[in-house]
Amino acid sequence: MVTKEKLKSYASKLMFDMDDAEYEILLSEFDVILRQIELINKIDNISDVKPMTFPFLDYERELREDKIEESLEIDEVLLNAKFKVNDQVKVPKVVE
Amino acid sequence: MYKTVIGLEVHCELKTLSKNFSGSKNTYSTKPNENVTPVDLGLPGILPAPNKEAARSALKTAIALNCNTPDEVIFDRKNYFYPDLPKGYQITQVTKPMGKNGYLLVDVNGMPKKVEIHQLHLEEDTASLEHFNTYSLIDYNRSGIPLMEIVTEPCMNSADEAVSFLEALRNVFLYCGVSEADSKKGQMRCDVNISLMKDSDTELGTKVEMKNINAFSSVRASIEYEIKRQAKILDDGGKVIQETRRYDEEDGNTYTMREKVDAIDYKYFIEPNIPPVKLTFDFIEEIKKEIPVLQYERHLKYVNTYGLSEYDATILVREKNIADYFEEVISYEVDSKSAASWVTTVVLASLNKLNLTLKEFFITPKMLAGVIKLVDNNKLSLRQGQKILYQAIQDRKDPMAIIEESKIEQIEDKDTLIKIVNEALDESPDVVKQYKEGAYYAANFFVGSVMKKTKGQANPKLTLEIIKEEMEKR
Amino acid sequence: MDYRYSDIDTLRSLLSNNETTPESLFKEAKSLAHKYQSSINPFVTIVDEYQKESSNSYIDGIPYALKDNFSTKGMLTTASSNIMKDYVPVYDSTVYKKLKEAGAVLVGKTVLDELAMGGTGTTGHTGIVKNPWDLSRMIGGSSAGSAASVALGIVPFAIGSDTGDSIRKPAAFGGVVGFKPTYGRISRYGLFAFASSLDHVGCFSRIVKDAAIITDILKGRDKYDMTSLSDDDKVYSELLNNDICGKKLFYFKDICNPEYYKDSNDEILLKTLEEFHNTIEKCREIGFIVDEVPFKKDLLTAIYPTYMIISCAEATSNNANLTGIQFGPRAEGDNINDIMFNARTRGFSELIKRRFILGSFILQKENQEKFFLNASRVRRMIVDDMNKLFEEYDGLIMPASGGIAPHFDEASDRLSDRYLILENHLDIGNFGGYPSITIPSGFVDNMPIAINITGRQKEDDWVLNMAYKIEAKLGFKGQIAGGEDNV
């Protein structure tokens, strides 16, 4: 069962929250999507099929040769960071 | 009494030129954010480009640890939020790790122990966080450095076993040349899982995890502390809580970090940007050829085949390059015991004294073999041999050239020696007389004078024999 | 001079004969961009200063627009999301780099549905994009601004990205050509990822030949994109005239049949299908063999949920870098979690959040097998069946949509079961990475409609070739919105 509480916990694991009304919309969306997904699960012999991640694999692929490339300049690294100290990105103290 | 059960998770940074998924320089750096490309920052639009050398190193280690290797290289995403993880996921291996079901033979205080390896996988290191009073700073230099994780089965039963395993494992990294494995630089880090059970129990006890312990001595201390702590809880009829604990190096205690609420769901799925790359038979065979005979096996061979002492064998296999040096010396048909004794004394002492690595050492195995042979064949005395070697090191000169130039060679021609001995006897008739009266030590006096006359080049053993013979004639 | 109808060939010859300059083309495009910005809203950023690298490529000096989810060094790139409203990249996407090196002149960065997750063109953080053919209608998305800028004649071509139909659908609603080549044909490096296994780079143009010219420039292996294909050493724009006689096309039986919808009273749908069958007849006239072919109904019905599951799951992970720590607006908060939490709560629209929650739900350990992996299995089943059909047929021809661009107030009901297949079959092109092109095929109620042709993996040349021939026959080549009396 998908409940509003569950949806809220998924949201918080993804590091955000929504308005209460949005959860209601989402719940009704889940109704639709779960129904459609049920169609998927009913497809014949689905469990015999290997899940697909890549559109096709019949082409040459290789791993990267171990070569060094130029790094960004430090001001580029920090260009978009709003808070920086000593050439590093500053955040409130991270406590484990 | 309880039985201790320990499993280890060891992280090791690989020594490649570039990072695991980008071309940034992979190096230990103290200047923040100097080895960073967009990929390491997890900027929008970046894609991973997996490093062949990192894959090769991980496979090499996996094979050295007797693991099964996969048919193809494939990666997965591990999704979680943390400020040191810029992409919000770590690229790692779950579906097909580089190694599975291996083992490492470890010498634990002279007893063999087979430590089972659950799996070995390749992933990327996180950025590093430095903590201050009110804030933390993020340095992305470490972000994306290839990291190998080795997970053992819970099969170790003491701190000794765990530490011996770690030492042996570190040695495998060094022998295979895949990492510098310097725990001071955080290149080798260890998580310890430990639980206690009664001998009669069939199921493992509740496990406690201790994270990110770098020094082996801390691994030992933390395990010893935990054994005591958990035993006390059990003795008092309590229950050990499943949790993550932190080891404090200052006071040697462990402290609760967080209790395990529910396991984090990392929502693993196959990394869609890295299509699988087949591992060909040739590629794997090529890697196999590069794997050297490891420490444990060499030690066995040195003791059983070469007849070396435990002590010498242990010293020689401690570092691969020393063992390699030793093996090259004996490849010149030098007696293995002599070679062992020269390497463990003169060579190691010189390296130590001059603070050199073997690479920088001037004396090649061939040079050393030449000197050892002369000594073993009584062409040089042991002292002469050592002196020449030290001089060769000092002057960076071939010892054979030194021998030739200074004409240092033992006088072994019997007629020559008889002549010199008689000269010496003639010069000190009093001492001859004492000898004749039974003061046999007086022979040594004449050995000394013969040495003086020959500037130390007379073969001392032969000289003594001749002195005795000539005395008989008088 | 009015360049709005000019294709690349025309502009090339004008430039070569010094009848115009790249700078005046840029100025003209820029002024058109500003002219339409308030009424249509195609752009997030309109480039102010003329900038061009020297080159002697065929598109040297040609102006173009780029979707605002391609990384452009030193130039704001927002993905039309508040969470990146101030983000200035420090590196170039491969596509932008190649176009720059080819001497093409960027006119603007175009509006998309936030993070490319949407098909309406209404969810970008700078407002909705309107359809130039009828301002009360949407242009579709997610590459809304790119479609609009080409439909308006501001630029002869624009770059888009396509994860489900994000190029091909807005191209249809805008009456222009939209081409998505084979997966990996064009590098994705620097394209802000939505769903990596489905994301494609492609382009909009007003004629098929221009799509071929641009693909020729952009294609090729990129060391930064491991899924990119090595060059097939073909020049697509020179292969458009091959004989297509006897080439075999198919369309899905039933769902293209007006009878199937006869109870619906949906005049537009019925007219669109009627037009589709007229188009099929014209294809036959020029030598194509066209068959209707049955396809497993349960698989066709599963297209949309399969797409939703895979794309939302991958998107959840791909956008986990948006936390406001290293880039983007930094939110306030006493601790690191609050900062990330607040940045994301404020930065994403509610629609995006709903999709992310769905993606996260799908990937939960207890749901992975049933949702994510089963969807990935259906993906394979569909692609396997398509590949089997491609053994006999050279292409799939379908209406790009079951209708015309919707009004702003009528979007969502098209997800009802009746429309489910007709509105979502373009996703097949992404499932299998097939080259797929949408070309204008006429008008219904004065709004453009289109057909789509999807071909075998890696046979981009043939897809373009077939589309080129059909385009010539249909006669809607090079049109711009509103014709001569443009707005």
Side-chain angles (χ1 to χ4, degrees):
Chain A
M1 243 313 261
V2 179
T3 60
K4 197 168 148 186
E5 285 62 42
K6 262 197 174 167
L7 294 180
K8 247 184 138 60
S9 98
Y10 293 140
S12 95
K13 281 176 193 162
L14 286 175
M15 293 277 179
F16 58 72
D17 199 4
M18 301 199 295
D19 289 344
D20 265 8
E22 291 293 328
Y23 285 108
E24 299 298 335
I25 297 174
L26 185 57
L27 264 179
S28 57
E29 273 187 4
F30 261 85
D31 269 356
V32 178
I33 193 86
L34 292 178
R35 199 153 30 85
Q36 287 176 334
I37 286 165
E38 275 316 306
L39 298 177
I40 288 185
N41 295 330
K42 277 184 205 145
I43 291 173
D44 289 342
N45 306 321
I46 185 156
S47 52
D48 303 341
V49 180
K50 193 179 165 229
M52 180 182 210
T53 301
F54 306 95
F56 52 89
L57 286 170
D58 56 338
Y59 63 99
E60 286 278 324
R61 299 176 297 280
E62 46 193 33
L63 301 170
R64 176 177 59 87
E65 291 300 329
D66 186 20
K67 286 190 189 128
I68 298 171
E69 275 182 35
E70 223 169 281
S71 294
L72 292 169
E73 299 294 328
I74 287 194
D75 43 347
E76 290 178 316
V77 173
L78 301 172
L79 179 71
N80 284 280
K82 300 297 179 293
F83 297 92
K84 37 210 156 185
V85 170
N86 296 334
D87 289 342
Q88 292 168 83
V89 178
K90 187 183 166 189
V91 292
K93 182 161 183 160
V94 179
V95 266
E96 281 212 75
Chain B
M1 272 306 284
Y2 302 98
K3 185 177 161 193
T4 307
V5 180
I6 301 166
L8 298 175
E9 290 165 29
V10 183
H11 284 96
C12 168
E13 284 184 350
L14 296 174
K15 147 183 110 171
T16 50
L17 295 175
S18 64
K19 291 187 181 176
N20 209 1
F21 299 105
S22 79
S24 316
K25 196 168 172 192
N26 170 12
T27 184
Y28 181 75
S29 166
T30 47
K31 192 168 165 240
N33 291 313
E34 63 168 344
N35 301 314
V36 177
T37 58
V39 175
D40 317 315
L41 291 173
L43 294 179
I46 55 97
L47 296 170
N51 186 337
K52 188 174 181 179
E53 197 50 42
R56 175 195 276 274
S57 294
L59 286 165
K60 194 170 172 184
T61 315
I63 297 167
L65 294 175
N66 308 292
C67 289
N68 299 322
T69 52
D71 59 335
E72 57 190 12
V73 174
I74 192 161
F75 290 93
D76 300 84
R77 286 191 191 175
K78 178 180 183 177
N79 297 285
Y80 65 98
F81 288 92
Y82 205 71
D84 65 3
L85 190 70
K87 291 194 294 291
Y89 58 84
Q90 180 192 35
I91 303 179
T92 179
Q93 292 185 311
V94 179
T95 310
K96 291 186 178 181
M98 292 300 195
K100 267 186 142 169
N101 302 327
Y103 64 88
L104 178 63
L105 291 171
V106 179
D107 184 316
V108 186
N109 305 327
M111 294 293 285
K113 165 89 186 178
K114 185 174 175 180
V115 176
E116 287 159 25
I117 309 290
H118 175 70
Q119 76 169 46
L120 177 153
H121 60 261
L122 180 58
E123 57 189 28
E124 53 181 338
D125 212 340
T126 57
S128 42
L129 291 168
E130 200 184 341
H131 304 293
F132 297 87
N133 261 345
T134 57
Y135 60 93
S136 300
L137 296 180
I138 312 175
D139 173 5
Y140 295 92
N141 277 340
R142 203 181 67 183
S143 171
I145 286 181
L147 195 64
M148 190 165 63
E149 181 175 346
I150 289 145
V151 182
T152 73
E153 298 292 350
C155 64
M156 285 160 276
N157 305 108
S158 66
D160 268 0
E161 289 187 2
V163 171
S164 300
F165 168 72
L166 287 173
E167 279 166 353
L169 185 65
R170 178 167 185 272
N171 226 279
V172 171
F173 300 153
L174 296 173
Y175 264 59
C176 291
V178 297
S179 173
E180 283 166 23
D182 185 343
S183 49
K184 279 190 224 83
K185 294 178 181 169
Q187 290 165 333
M188 192 170 167
R189 315 194 284 268
C190 184
D191 300 343
V192 180
N193 290 311
I194 176 168
S195 64
L196 261 49
M197 65 195 281
K198 285 204 184 100
D199 280 330
S200 55
D201 287 349
T202 48
E203 272 181 33
L204 293 179
T206 306
K207 101 183 158 181
V208 164
E209 184 182 34
M210 296 185 285
K211 283 217 166 257
N212 271 327
I213 310 179
N214 288 10
F216 294 174
S217 56
S218 302
V219 171
R220 176 184 299 281
S222 65
I223 290 174
E224 282 166 355
Y225 179 87
E226 258 316 285
I227 293 175
K228 276 186 211 143
R229 188 187 70 87
Q230 293 185 23
K232 180 153 194 326
I233 294 173
L234 296 173
D235 284 343
D236 296 347
K239 266 189 173 168
V240 175
I241 305 164
Q242 186 177 353
E243 61 179 348
T244 301
R245 294 179 74 84
R246 176 181 62 83
Y247 174 70
D248 189 321
E249 288 195 6
E250 303 276 305
D251 64 9
N253 294 356
T254 66
Y255 297 95
T256 297
M257 264 170 71
R258 54 176 175 266
E259 280 187 30
K260 209 119 190 169
V261 196
D262 10 87
I264 304 164
D265 187 342
Y266 290 114
K267 296 180 282 186
Y268 291 103
F269 66 94
I270 291 175
E271 166 58 66
N273 292 311
I274 306 180
V277 175
K278 286 267 171 260
L279 288 170
T280 61
F281 179 79
D282 289 351
F283 186 71
I284 295 288
E285 285 306 302
E286 198 188 305
I287 293 172
K288 276 186 186 164
K289 273 186 214 142
E290 290 169 12
I291 296 175
V293 181
L294 298 177
Q295 186 185 36
Y296 187 87
E297 285 74 15
R298 285 199 206 204
H299 187 273
L300 271 186
K301 188 176 173 191
Y302 290 3
V303 173
N304 296 344
T305 312
Y306 299 153
L308 304 189
S309 67
E310 271 293 325
Y311 180 78
D312 280 354
T314 305
I315 293 177
L316 287 174
V317 300
R318 200 173 286 155
E319 283 181 44
K320 175 176 172 286
N321 53 4
I322 306 278
D324 286 344
Y325 188 94
F326 162 73
E327 288 180 24
E328 200 180 330
V329 172
I330 62 174
S331 75
Y332 295 106
E333 286 162 16
V334 171
D335 174 63
S336 48
K337 282 186 198 159
S338 304
S341 127
W342 280 82
V343 173
T344 53
T345 55
V346 181
V347 172
L348 290 182
S350 306
L351 291 179
N352 211 8
K353 195 172 141 209
L354 301 169
N355 201 13
L356 289 176
T357 66
L358 205 47
K359 251 190 205 158
E360 301 157 329
F361 192 50
F362 176 73
I363 305 298
T364 63
K366 193 177 176 185
M367 290 178 190
L368 179 62
V371 175
I372 298 174
K373 269 194 215 168
L374 288 176
V375 173
D376 283 0
N377 296 335
N378 289 318
K379 299 260 160 69
L380 290 179
S381 69
L382 181 63
R383 243 191 80 235
Q384 278 178 317
Q386 289 177 343
K387 229 171 121 187
I388 287 162
L389 213 52
Y390 284 124
Q391 200 186 331
I393 294 165
Q394 200 183 341
D395 300 351
R396 299 181 71 79
K397 218 168 178 184
D398 188 332
M400 289 307 154
I402 294 174
I403 291 169
E404 209 153 282
E405 277 169 29
S406 54
K407 304 229 162 23
I408 307 174
E409 206 170 333
Q410 282 200 346
I411 301 169
E412 294 190 69
D413 180 56
K414 209 164 176 180
D415 292 341
T416 315
L417 281 178
I418 290 173
K419 222 177 112 198
I420 301 170
V421 167
N422 278 310
E423 270 176 43
L425 297 184
D426 291 346
E427 279 165 19
S428 307
D430 299 354
V431 188
V432 176
K433 199 175 158 215
Q434 286 172 23
Y435 180 89
K436 285 284 184 189
E437 286 164 8
Y440 295 119
Y441 58 86
N444 284 336
F445 170 82
F446 289 111
V447 174
S449 25
V450 171
M451 283 298 169
K452 244 179 226 162
K453 284 176 185 291
T454 60
K455 293 185 178 128
Q457 292 186 45
N459 179 331
K461 218 166 133 196
L462 192 60
T463 305
L464 187 63
E465 276 168 30
I466 292 170
I467 290 168
K468 285 177 184 165
E469 281 169 24
E470 291 306 305
M471 285 290 195
E472 292 305 309
K473 290 179 193 164
R474 294 201 174 209
Chain C
M1 198 187 146
D2 185 357
Y3 301 111
R4 289 178 303 153
Y5 287 90
S6 307
D7 57 19
I8 294 175
D9 279 346
T10 310
L11 294 173
R12 174 82 272 130
S13 78
L14 289 172
L15 287 165
S16 300
N17 299 332
N18 293 321
E19 289 170 56
T20 187
T21 62
E23 185 159 11
S24 58
L25 288 181
F26 169 77
K27 281 185 176 156
E28 181 66 22
K30 182 179 142 185
S31 85
L32 284 169
H34 282 292
K35 178 178 163 195
Y36 294 124
Q37 183 61 11
S38 58
S39 55
I40 310 285
N41 189 37
F43 296 99
V44 178
T45 303
I46 298 171
V47 176
D48 201 43
E49 294 274 312
Y50 167 72
Q51 275 173 36
K52 195 184 97 59
E53 286 188 14
S54 64
S55 164
N56 51 11
S57 93
Y58 196 71
I59 62 164
D60 181 50
I62 309 286
Y64 76 100
L66 184 63
K67 192 174 178 179
D68 206 29
N69 59 351
F70 285 88
S71 193
T72 48
K73 185 174 175 176
M75 189 187 299
L76 184 71
T77 306
T78 66
S80 286
S81 178
N82 274 316
I83 205 156
M84 283 181 278
K85 65 181 178 192
D86 62 355
Y87 172 58
V88 178
V90 293
Y91 79 103
D92 282 339
S93 52
T94 299
V95 165
Y96 178 56
K97 190 160 171 272
K98 283 195 166 192
L99 288 168
K100 214 160 49 170
E101 284 166 2
V105 183
L106 182 64
V107 174
K109 303 283 303 277
T110 60
V111 175
L112 54 147
D113 276 301
E114 182 176 0
L115 304 173
M117 298 174 71
T120 59
T122 62
T123 63
H125 76 309
T126 56
I128 63 173
V129 183
K130 292 180 181 168
N131 192 318
W133 297 89
D134 177 349
L135 299 189
S136 69
R137 292 179 186 271
M138 45 183 79
I139 180 87
S142 64
S143 312
S146 286
S149 65
V150 172
L152 285 163
I154 299 172
V155 284
F157 78 93
I159 303 301
S161 62
D162 187 315
T163 305
D165 55 18
S166 280
I167 289 174
R168 294 161 295 153
K169 190 62 86 59
F173 291 157
V176 296
V177 172
F179 178 49
K180 170 200 90 59
T182 301
Y183 185 78
R185 183 63 76 204
I186 301 175
S187 166
R188 288 180 292 119
Y189 187 70
L191 164 67
F192 294 8
F194 164 11
S196 311
S197 81
L198 300 167
D199 288 347
H200 292 64
V201 177
C203 62
F204 295 88
S205 59
R206 283 185 299 274
I207 59 169
V208 172
K209 186 175 181 188
D210 286 354
I213 290 170
I214 298 311
T215 310
D216 282 333
I217 298 277
L218 296 180
K219 72 194 174 88
R221 163 108 183 109
D222 178 9
K223 63 177 176 174
Y224 295 120
D225 178 359
M226 197 184 167
T227 64
S228 63
L229 299 172
S230 42
D231 202 354
D232 53 3
D233 294 320
K234 287 175 181 166
V235 182
Y236 300 155
S237 51
E238 289 172 6
L239 292 169
L240 298 171
N241 262 311
N242 287 325
D243 188 10
I244 47 81
C245 263
K247 285 273 166 193
K248 292 178 78 174
L249 300 174
F250 72 100
Y251 59 88
F252 296 133
K253 201 182 162 179
D254 296 338
I255 62 161
C256 295
N257 186 351
E259 283 296 301
Y260 186 73
Y261 308 94
K262 67 172 185 284
D263 302 332
S264 79
N265 289 326
D266 185 335
E267 284 300 315
I268 289 175
L269 169 66
L270 296 175
K271 277 193 234 172
T272 304
L273 289 176
E274 195 185 315
E275 284 296 329
F276 173 68
H277 287 283
N278 291 340
T279 301
I280 294 296
E281 271 320 302
K282 287 179 182 160
C283 291
R284 288 185 177 126
E285 283 167 26
I286 56 172
F288 282 104
I289 297 163
V290 189
D291 292 342
E292 64 170 18
V293 167
F295 200 90
K296 285 189 199 107
K297 188 71 190 302
D298 52 355
L299 290 184
L300 289 178
T301 319
I303 290 174
Y304 180 69
T306 298
Y307 168 75
M308 280 296 278
I309 290 171
I310 296 172
S311 65
C312 289
E314 289 187 22
T316 311
S317 169
N318 279 333
N319 290 291
N321 58 343
L322 306 176
T323 56
I325 290 178
Q326 210 275 325
F327 59 92
R330 172 74 73 89
E332 79 294 345
D334 296 337
N335 61 60
I336 189 77
N337 274 0
D338 286 358
I339 278 182
M340 292 195 268
F341 199 92
N342 291 338
R344 290 168 69 82
T345 297
R346 210 165 306 147
F348 297 129
S349 72
E350 305 292 333
L351 171 79
I352 293 295
K353 290 182 200 166
R354 297 204 307 264
R355 295 259 186 126
F356 284 164
I357 292 177
L358 180 61
S360 188
F361 169 80
I362 286 158
L363 284 175
Q364 294 292 317
K365 216 174 192 173
E366 66 270 24
N367 299 331
Q368 266 226 13
E369 176 64 30
K370 190 174 166 193
F371 293 83
F372 187 62
L373 294 179
N374 269 353
S376 305
R377 290 183 177 103
V378 173
R379 180 178 183 182
R380 182 177 301 278
M381 292 170 99
I382 292 171
V383 170
D384 282 352
D385 282 4
M386 282 296 288
N387 287 345
K388 251 174 247 151
L389 284 166
F390 280 136
E391 284 172 18
E392 184 181 349
Y393 293 95
D394 301 289
L396 165 70
I397 184 165
M398 287 289 289
S401 159
I404 57 176
H407 284 110
F408 284 110
D409 52 12
E410 61 161 323
S412 50
D413 69 331
R414 298 196 81 83
L415 292 184
S416 63
D417 293 350
R418 171 171 295 142
Y419 300 101
L420 199 59
I421 301 169
L422 214 43
E423 287 310 316
N424 294 293
H425 66 83
L426 293 180
D427 300 348
I428 293 174
N430 304 75
F431 291 167
Y434 304 109
S436 182
I437 191 167
T438 291
I439 59 170
S441 64
F443 289 87
V444 166
D445 284 11
N446 297 319
M447 287 301 290
I449 57 165
I451 52 149
N452 176 268
I453 298 146
T454 297
R456 294 184 194 106
Q457 289 151 351
K458 292 178 271 183
E459 292 195 359
D460 306 77
D461 49 337
W462 273 111
V463 168
L464 288 163
N465 187 166
M466 292 189 290
Y468 182 76
K469 295 285 185 174
I470 297 169
E471 175 190 55
K473 175 72 179 174
L474 298 182
F476 301 98
K477 194 175 167 180
Q479 65 190 10
I480 64 173
E484 298 295 338
D485 321 311
N486 204 330
V487 190

